[in-house]
Amino acid sequence: MFRDLDYEAALERFKLASASTALPVRDRAIATVWLGVCHASLGDERTASDFFAQAIALDAAVVYPSDAPPKIAELFDKTKESSASAAPTAPLQPA
């Protein structure tokens, strides 16, 4: 769905995955990164950064997916850098 540029449908799938307690924390963190990627692709960098921060809070070792758009990686990296020095934040509810 994401690769087909159907960001709205991808958002729904990633929302479900990021909230699923049946998945390991690492997988939920990755789904949360993808939520950020979708929002950034839709032009909402603030929400994207919030989701990146939430993913990093779930799993500090989470990395930007190699198959995600490279232009968004910089936003992820900046968020990860600032998250390393910031206090933990409350989980963001998927939109």
Side-chain angles (χ1 to χ4, degrees):
M1 278 177 252
F2 182 85
R3 286 175 189 72
D4 296 332
L5 304 180
D6 188 355
Y7 300 121
E8 297 298 329
L11 278 170
E12 291 304 315
R13 290 239 174 170
F14 292 128
K15 280 181 206 176
L16 291 173
S18 69
S20 174
T21 56
L23 291 176
V25 170
R26 176 153 177 73
D27 291 344
R28 290 184 10 236
I30 292 167
T32 305
V33 169
W34 278 105
L35 279 169
V37 171
C38 287
H39 280 282
S41 297
L42 291 167
D44 187 355
E45 288 189 357
R46 181 172 183 189
T47 300
S49 184
D50 289 344
F51 276 116
F52 292 154
Q54 183 179 344
I56 294 160
L58 281 171
D59 180 1
V62 72
V63 296
Y64 189 77
S66 62
D67 54 341
K71 68 180 181 177
I72 300 169
E74 184 177 336
L75 177 62
F76 176 84
D77 292 339
K78 285 181 183 178
T79 304
K80 193 160 192 172
E81 287 173 14
S82 64
S83 292
S85 62
T89 58
L92 182 66
Q93 295 300 316

